[in-house]
Amino acid sequence: SLLNARSVLVRNRNFWCTIEKHGSASCFGTDQVRSKLEPTVAMDSPTASQCSFPDLRDVFPGCSSYEDLYNLSIKETDLFWGTLARMSLRWNRDFEHVSNCNMESGLFRWFLGGKLNVSVNCVDRHKEKDPDRVALIWEKDEPGQEERITYGQLYTMMNQVANVLKTHGVKKGDRVAIYMPACPLAVASMLACARIGAVHSVVFAGFSAEALASRINDAEATVVITADQGVRGGKLIELKKTVVAAVGNCPSVKAIFVAKRTGSLVVSSTLDVDLDEAMAKESGECEPAVMDSEDLLFMLYTSGSTGNPKGVVHSQAGYLLYASLTQRLVFDCKEGDIFGCVADIGWITGHSYVVYGPLANGVTTVLFESTPTYPDPGRYWETVQRLKINQFYAAPTAIRLLLKHGDEHVEKYDLGSLRTLGSVGEPINVEAWQWYNKVVGKEKCVVVDTWWQTETGGICISPRPSAPDAEIHPGMPMRPMYGIWPVIVGEKGEELKGNDVTGALCLKKPWPGMARTIYGAHSRFLETYYQPFRGFYFTGDGAIRHKNGYYQITGRMDDVINVTGHRLGTAEVENALGQHPSVAESAVVGYPCNDKGEGIYAYVTLKDGFLAGVKMETELRGIVRQKIAAYAVPDVIQICAGLPKTRSGKIMRRILRKVAADQTENLGDISTLADPAVVKDLIANHQTIK
Ligand code: PRX
């Protein structure tokens, strides 16, 4: 049964029919499809839905191509998503309405009235079918030490963590901070939150104690889950120590659960609970909470142009449906596949394509603990060979880095298991794309450059899905995913129609995986995404729609930079620099950098009495590391006499970007500057980037 609940949708040439459970059938044209699918009766017991991998052309029999399916998804949005939601998720109670969304007011609700549990969808239903199927392969830092966790084992682990949380008073709606690298217990912890209806906030395990504390405080998390130490690239990462330092400033935290990774004795706190011991005392069964489709599933902090990072909120049903559908359609992931996304779980890519998407689809997902170059630049490819990975998903930064190390590190390995190669996080340059395609994929794999964001929940623009032989151009994500309607918007907020246009990339139609709000700051949510261009979701990116209708991303249009595929607000770095006693003012911009995508260039003016020099630069770098993370540390610090400002005092970042990029021959109009002489000084002291 495709629709489980009460009817099956079938096609008879140009007609659609529903066959009701009690046996009656009705036929109708496409226009009538929507009304036929609106449910009338609520389900009292869970539906029997098993995750399956049907071809969407069989699900929507009137559609025989990507274009047909795409048009249906845009024109009959509720029919499209409603059918897929009923078909691919297990519900405790069917939803009454597919969507109630408004781009003008920024209100989005999907699958209204529906009840489900995300952890049941990701674990229970696969465990019931095949408890011995491998859910996770933990690819530890040292090659050859991988551990496999079956769906049956993950079920027990997740329930034990859920029971530990309950024993310590964590309730539905409470926030749980997770500060862990990719490992089975991190996944079990995320799912345990989903099991009991708590909201997880995974914080990338590279953030400093201060950055962690500000995220814990913003979310008012009641507990933190961490590990004693992390291991990455042969180095130890003091996770517990960082958590203890953070939690000293977090009054909401009542317990720190500590998992064993290295077993070393680490700094302790009165709030400590040994997670492994606590789990051993708990049952491996935990009744799943029945959640509303729109309850919060998780929040994840990401950088914006201004202020502190914002806690982007995702929902239960809409997010899970979107992450799982994109995971199998973009990557052509089939039952039995081994999916290797090497992102850290601290970022959205890890949430959607290491954890939720693959697990909802019941495939095997790889948790990669190491780095692309440990112990040598062949690590990814040795891992692909050893684990027989079918889909590999990484960031262009890593691909560019490995390209430089030479083909011999790839050619040593048999990569015959690979079918799809994915790229995410920043534009992939044509050279890197070609290398990925030729040297890694041997021109036999489908290469997908996938564009999306923390806020979109899943991939929005990507060469696939499309016809299996549809052309793919290097270096651009090209085609919208089903249900995604990209538009290019001009400076005045007007939609630029036709092809061969450049402007702000916006999305015109709501989709289930979209963020619902910023935690505790809905007005900031509206201001950032829905007010810049009325009636559209503004992505913050610029894009070109080429002659053939394909999309290419040109980069951020706001003060967000993209460093090694990680998003960073220049304001965050400026705030950190400003906390050094010597700093009078600072302005941070990105500059094109082959290795990192964008490098970080900081212009700093010092207060009287402080001296520029190597020591000062080291201190300034140190404060950014302490306040944010190592990846946010500026590559270049230029101490200058003044910053270029307009007469009203606004810093002209355009000029700073040009100087940083060493493009000073065309600075544009500088006559509006309060003191045009500042520019000469900036150019004279410009630091060449190593
Ligand atoms: O600028 C775009 C860039 O990364 C931003 C989103 O960053 P984040 O929320 O951290 O999510 C990263 C992983 C999904 C976007 O606004 N970006 C992401 N993918 C691409 C990209 N830029 C160009 N091409 C891409 N494929």
Side-chain angles (χ1 to χ4, degrees):
S1 161
L2 293 174
L3 297 176
N4 314 301
R6 69 193 55 78
S7 55
V8 184
L9 181 69
V10 291
R11 180 189 62 160
N12 182 355
R13 294 207 171 247
N14 298 323
F15 291 97
W16 299 65
C17 302
T18 53
I19 302 175
E20 307 292 330
K21 254 193 182 153
H22 52 76
S24 70
S26 45
C27 297
F28 43 90
T30 319
D31 292 348
Q32 293 157 290
V33 168
R34 181 203 307 256
S35 59
K36 290 287 169 195
L37 284 162
E38 288 298 342
T40 48
V41 199
M43 275 175 264
D44 297 317
S45 55
T47 60
S49 163
Q50 297 294 334
C51 171
S52 52
F53 292 73
D55 188 321
L56 288 201
R57 287 171 301 183
D58 298 332
V59 178
F60 299 105
C63 299
S64 57
S65 64
Y66 161 78
E67 286 75 17
D68 287 348
L69 284 163
Y70 179 73
N71 289 336
L72 181 78
S73 75
I74 296 296
K75 289 186 190 141
E76 296 289 344
T77 308
D78 281 6
L79 163 74
F80 184 82
W81 291 116
T83 306
L84 293 176
R86 289 201 174 95
M87 190 190 84
S88 45
L89 298 182
R90 178 184 290 186
W91 295 87
N92 289 75
R93 185 183 189 278
D94 194 8
F95 44 91
E96 283 144 23
H97 298 285
V98 175
S99 69
N100 178 11
C101 298
N102 188 327
M103 280 280 190
E104 293 278 335
S105 63
L107 181 104
F108 307 104
R109 301 280 178 271
W110 285 88
F111 312 119
L112 292 90
K115 304 273 183 197
L116 79 173
N117 184 283
V118 165
S119 76
V120 168
N121 277 280
C122 289
V123 185
D124 299 34
R125 56 183 179 154
H126 312 306
K127 171 230 157 200
E128 287 160 15
K129 211 166 139 190
D130 182 5
D132 297 329
R133 184 189 300 171
V134 176
L136 315 174
I137 304 180
W138 183 17
E139 174 62 13
K140 292 191 193 175
D141 196 42
E142 289 302 326
Q145 294 191 353
E146 72 272 12
E147 284 182 23
R148 288 179 167 75
I149 312 286
T150 64
Y151 275 95
Q153 290 166 324
L154 181 59
Y155 176 84
T156 305
M157 205 188 250
M158 159 186 85
N159 284 334
Q160 285 175 325
V161 180
N163 286 326
V164 169
L165 293 175
K166 275 167 94 172
T167 302
H168 285 82
V170 178
K171 299 179 302 299
K172 194 168 174 170
D174 286 352
R175 274 80 54 213
V176 172
I178 300 177
Y179 188 73
M180 288 173 127
C183 63
L185 258 181
V187 177
S189 299
M190 292 164 78
L191 293 167
C193 291
R195 190 91 182 161
I196 64 170
V199 179
H200 62 69
S201 165
V202 181
V203 179
F204 170 58
F207 277 118
S208 69
E210 290 192 32
L212 172 62
S214 78
R215 285 158 175 76
I216 292 175
N217 287 335
D218 184 73
E220 292 179 289
T222 56
V223 300
V224 184
I225 308 178
T226 189
D228 47 9
Q229 291 176 312
V231 192
R232 195 156 185 268
K235 296 195 187 96
L236 295 176
I237 304 158
E238 298 297 340
L239 300 174
K240 175 68 193 313
K241 194 172 161 195
T242 308
V243 171
V244 172
V247 163
N249 298 313
C250 302
S252 59
V253 174
K254 307 282 177 280
I256 304 171
F257 299 103
V258 191
K260 216 178 264 94
R261 171 61 183 92
T262 61
S264 301
L265 274 181
V266 287
V267 58
S268 64
S269 145
T270 50
L271 303 177
D272 284 358
V273 177
D274 182 313
L275 185 57
D276 304 273
E277 278 177 19
M279 282 170 67
K281 289 185 203 140
E282 298 287 351
S283 149
E285 295 291 337
C286 175
E287 187 63 22
V290 176
M291 304 300 288
D292 191 273
S293 297
E294 279 297 317
D295 282 334
L296 276 64
L297 175 62
F298 67 83
M299 50 204 281
L300 185 60
Y301 285 85
T302 191
S303 299
S305 344
T306 54
N308 290 330
K310 42 198 186 205
V312 170
V313 169
H314 281 288
S315 68
Q316 311 264 332
Y319 169 80
L320 191 66
L321 176 64
Y322 197 71
S324 56
L325 193 76
T326 47
Q327 194 263 335
R328 65 187 159 88
L329 295 184
V330 171
F331 297 96
D332 181 33
C333 190
K334 300 192 165 56
E335 217 165 83
D337 277 352
I338 298 179
F339 190 77
C341 168
V342 290
D344 192 281
I345 55 151
W347 309 110
I348 191 69
T349 309
H351 281 59
S352 301
Y353 300 110
V354 175
V355 181
Y356 288 112
L359 293 181
N361 288 326
V363 298
T364 300
T365 184
V366 175
L367 309 174
F368 186 74
E369 190 183 48
S370 195
T371 75
T373 50
Y374 183 78
D376 63 55
R379 177 57 187 269
Y380 277 167
W381 321 122
E382 187 271 329
T383 304
V384 167
Q385 173 184 279
R386 181 163 34 82
L387 305 185
K388 299 193 171 42
I389 289 173
N390 302 109
Q391 292 87 8
F392 183 78
Y393 196 25
T397 295
I399 297 162
R400 283 192 298 268
L401 174 75
L402 299 179
L403 173 160
K404 281 209 307 203
H405 282 282
D407 300 358
E408 64 274 19
H409 295 287
V410 190
E411 282 160 0
K412 269 199 252 173
Y413 301 104
D414 174 3
L415 306 182
S417 58
L418 286 173
R419 296 203 312 271
T420 311
L421 296 173
S423 163
V424 61
E426 48 178 320
I428 178 162
N429 51 310
V430 173
E431 189 196 0
W433 192 99
Q434 299 285 19
W435 185 81
Y436 206 23
N437 181 37
K438 285 194 182 131
V439 180
V440 179
K442 319 284 182 240
E443 294 186 274
K444 287 186 183 139
C445 293
V446 175
V447 180
V448 287
D449 172 10
T450 62
W451 175 89
W452 60 294
Q453 312 176 293
T454 305
E455 295 86 341
T456 69
I459 294 164
C460 290
I461 310 183
S462 158
R464 297 284 189 269
S466 58
D469 54 354
E471 60 176 354
I472 297 187
H473 292 289
M476 59 172 94
M478 302 179 73
R479 301 180 180 91
M481 167 67 196
Y482 299 132
I484 298 295
W485 187 349
V487 287
I488 304 288
V489 177
E491 274 173 22
K492 296 188 192 98
E494 76 289 12
E495 186 181 335
L496 302 177
K497 299 272 171 66
N499 290 340
D500 215 1
V501 287
T502 304
L505 177 66
C506 294
L507 304 178
K508 193 167 168 172
K509 224 176 186 344
W511 66 101
M514 66 198 308
R516 301 298 194 260
T517 189
I518 294 174
Y519 190 76
H522 195 64
S523 55
R524 192 172 167 202
F525 176 72
L526 300 178
E527 273 160 35
T528 312
Y529 306 112
Y530 295 98
Q531 283 164 9
F533 301 109
R534 275 207 93 72
F536 302 123
Y537 163 77
F538 175 45
T539 64
D541 282 329
I544 306 171
R545 184 167 51 233
H546 284 287
K547 284 193 185 62
N548 39 23
Y550 298 144
Y551 291 88
Q552 180 171 17
I553 312 299
T554 51
R556 296 292 302 195
M557 297 179 79
D558 51 10
D559 291 319
V560 170
I561 55 180
N562 198 321
V563 186
T564 57
H566 300 326
R567 197 161 137 179
L568 182 67
T570 52
E572 287 170 65
V573 184
E574 289 161 12
N575 289 344
L577 289 168
Q579 291 177 57
H580 191 278
S582 69
V583 173
E585 228 180 347
S586 70
V588 172
V589 295
Y591 67 88
C593 167
N594 275 349
D595 292 348
K596 299 179 15 161
E598 278 186 288
I600 310 171
Y601 199 115
Y603 298 88
V604 177
T605 63
L606 298 180
K607 290 181 187 156
D608 286 348
F610 288 94
L611 285 179
V614 176
K615 184 166 171 283
M616 176 63 73
E617 284 187 25
T618 310
E619 280 185 32
L620 293 176
R621 288 199 165 88
I623 201 153
V624 176
R625 188 176 290 110
Q626 180 200 330
K627 301 280 168 196
I628 312 177
Y631 81 88
V633 171
D635 299 274
V636 181
I637 296 182
Q638 179 172 343
I639 311 276
C640 44
L643 297 173
K645 289 187 184 170
T646 59
R647 282 178 208 110
S648 59
K650 196 170 177 297
I651 296 174
M652 283 183 84
R653 289 172 181 275
R654 175 176 60 80
I655 294 176
L656 295 175
R657 279 191 212 106
K658 291 248 176 185
V659 175
D662 211 1
Q663 294 168 353
T664 48
E665 61 289 346
N666 179 18
L667 285 179
D669 182 13
I670 57 167
S671 62
T672 54
L673 286 177
D675 178 8
V678 165
V679 178
K680 264 197 190 146
D681 168 71
L682 288 176
I683 296 173
N685 293 303
H686 166 251
Q687 306 215 358
T688 315
I689 295 137
K690 289 144 227 148

